[in-house]
Amino acid sequence: MDKIVIHGGQPLYGKVSMSGAKNAALPLLAATLLAPGLHTLSNVPDLRDTRTMLRLLEILGAHWQRTGSTVTIETSNLTTAEAPYELVKTMRASVLVLGPLIARSGFARVSLPGGCAIGARPINYHLNGFEQLGTVTELKQGYVEVRAENGGLEGGTIYLDKPTVTGTENILMASVYAKGKTVIKNAAREPEIGNLIDMLESMGANIQGKDTDCLTIHGVESLHAATATIIPDRIETGTYMIAVAAAGGEVEITDCIPGHLPALTGKLERCGVDIEVGNNSFKVCCPENNGQNHCRLRSVDVTTLPYPGFATDLQAQFMALMTLATGAAVIHETIFENRFMHVAELERMGADIKIDGGSAVVRGVGRGFLSGAQVMATDLRASASLVIAGLAASGMTEISRIYHLERGYENMIEKLAGLGANIRRVRE
Ligand code: EPZ
């Protein structure tokens, strides 16, 4: 397995372009199962997770081709409705094929994803939603079988206990052909769902309520193949914003949607970071500080919340930043029950963090007191947190198990090296 080696202390300067959003690409790729034909998706990031989803579509009978960031997918002749355990266990977002398969063929058999590093992550809300549309669910040998009764789905009203992102996406996709009207209440409002709705409408679906917590879908007879573009990755964007704040310097982050990061932008400004907002770019700058090319960072509290609140997918990265600040920050994780796996690794680098249930108190040690170390990535966003800490720490940091990082960040090593970071991949 490869590792990343970083020699910290280099400020970041220059321009970096964002890739397409992993958490939009996954549902939009799954949505191609809804209609036969040749679909074209642009700005699809080339990641471990998108490669896994494309492999899953292949197993189901689809054929795909990638030219640069454009992927064409032919889904006319699906051969099975079963997503195997070997694949689902590597990526829980595989459950996103449930909705389209049930909508298209009335049946789906998908291995239950099981938990992951950050939590149990059940899919009960997904399955309850399908049942509201007239399906029967059975659990057999670790697989969930979902079958439409009476030969097809009927519209219904679904109340989600929590605004589940992939749950909203799965139920939305299942409902596009359901007879009559479907209403999804307490729906998630993440921008990736809006991207999916745009794609489904371009295929002929009838959906109202985009970007709100109440979606209304009127079933249609058929859909045609899609031509859609994946939105920029707001979590990648936020990760680079935080990296500049941690390492210091001045960077223009392009091909992003600043409006998708309202919470983080406000928090970084309160930390003392200068942020210039463009149409599709951010300029992030740490004002010179006593001749140092980084700013003194103020500690700022954060609570993770569903969109448009502070994204849980940026919590680990922000925590790394707070280890460098000049006070104490309380970070409260409300979405997942075990999303502090990065804390122990940050402590190996000299961070002072105390966990109490779903909260962590981060006492900033100030720059220069975070020291490089050998650390281990445990999950996707924890990996990004360790990279950020390594950029700011003095000395060398080695991060092992970087396959976690490659699930969700396209060319991160090259992008950071292009900004002046001393970072490279080393075969272990
Ligand atoms: C999506 O996961 C994202 N993944 C996650 O990003 C992100 O952290 C999460 O939303 C929250 O924003 C994709 O979009 C592929 P949820 P998802 O259902 O949909 C509980 C990353 O790093 N819940 O919104 O799985 C659940 O346990 C990944 O890119 C149930 O109890 O998250 C959690 O506590 C990590 N039952 C809460 O709801 C259900 O049926 C929110 O989870 C579904 C969810």
Side-chain angles (χ1 to χ4, degrees), residues 292-308:
Q292 300 291 321
N293 38 39
H294 54 65
C295 50
R296 283 172 62 79
L297 292 162
R298 288 189 291 273
S299 298
V300 173
D301 296 348
V302 154
T303 296
T304 64
L305 288 168
Y307 191 87

Side-chain angles (χ1 to χ4, degrees), residues 40-209:
T40 303
L41 295 186
S42 307
N43 202 31
V44 181
D46 187 10
L47 305 166
R48 181 182 285 267
D49 275 9
T50 50
R51 290 195 287 273
T52 300
M53 181 58 83
L54 287 166
R55 174 79 193 106
L56 176 52
L57 295 182
E58 238 173 44
I59 289 170
L60 298 171
H63 301 281
W64 60 273
Q65 199 165 355
R66 174 184 278 274
T67 310
S69 65
T70 298
V71 176
T72 54
I73 307 108
E74 169 53 69
T75 57
S76 297
N77 305 306
L78 300 185
T79 53
T80 174
E82 175 167 326
Y85 173 70
E86 298 68 41
L87 195 132
V88 175
K89 73 179 179 185
T90 66
M91 184 185 70
R92 50 174 298 97
S94 308
V95 297
L96 281 166
V97 302
L98 272 169
L101 288 173
I102 296 163
R104 178 156 172 191
S105 58
F107 174 75
R109 186 170 190 268
V110 172
S111 165
L112 271 174
C116 74
I118 63 177
R121 302 192 68 187
I123 59 167
N124 53 320
Y125 302 155
H126 303 229
L127 303 177
N128 297 346
F130 299 146
E131 284 167 11
Q132 291 290 96
L133 300 176
T135 68
V136 175
T137 302
E138 278 187 84
L139 183 57
K140 290 179 180 172
Q141 290 99 28
Y143 280 75
V144 65
E145 290 189 1
V146 187
R147 193 182 302 280
E149 282 193 307
N150 313 322
L153 299 182
E154 299 275 335
T157 297
I158 293 123
Y159 298 84
L160 291 173
D161 291 4
K162 288 182 185 175
T164 160
V165 175
T166 51
T168 300
E169 292 164 344
N170 238 340
I171 296 162
L172 178 60
M173 291 190 281
S175 72
V176 292
Y177 297 132
K179 294 183 192 64
K181 181 170 87 166
T182 296
V183 179
I184 304 173
K185 299 203 168 188
N186 196 25
R189 297 186 284 156
E190 272 66 4
E192 294 74 27
I193 294 169
N195 199 188
L196 175 62
I197 289 171
D198 289 344
M199 174 178 166
L200 295 175
E201 287 193 311
S202 77
M203 295 168 74
N206 182 336
I207 303 167
Q208 280 87 39

Side-chain angles (χ1 to χ4, degrees), residues 3 65 98 103 117 133 152 181 194 206 209 229 231 234 310 326 333 342 357 381 397 423:
K3 63 185 174 186
Q65 199 165 355
L98 272 169
L133 300 176
K181 181 170 87 166
N206 182 336
T229 299
I231 58 172
R234 61 191 168 96
F310 192 95
T326 54
E333 172 58 59
H342 43 286
R381 305 306 173 181
T397 298
I423 180 172

Side-chain angles (χ1 to χ4, degrees), residues 189-191 234-235 237-239 241-242 257-273 275 277 282 300-315 318 321-322 332 334-335:
R189 297 186 284 156
E190 272 66 4
R234 61 191 168 96
I235 305 302
T237 305
T239 301
M241 293 169 77
I242 295 169
I257 302 180
H260 286 170
L261 289 140
L264 177 68
T265 306
K267 291 291 179 183
L268 288 177
E269 286 173 338
R270 282 195 37 215
C271 289
V273 181
I275 296 178
V277 181
F282 277 116
V300 173
D301 296 348
V302 154
T303 296
T304 64
L305 288 168
Y307 191 87
F310 192 95
T312 175
D313 291 350
L314 290 170
Q315 178 260 106
F318 194 80
L321 183 69
M322 289 297 95
H332 192 43
T334 70
I335 307 294

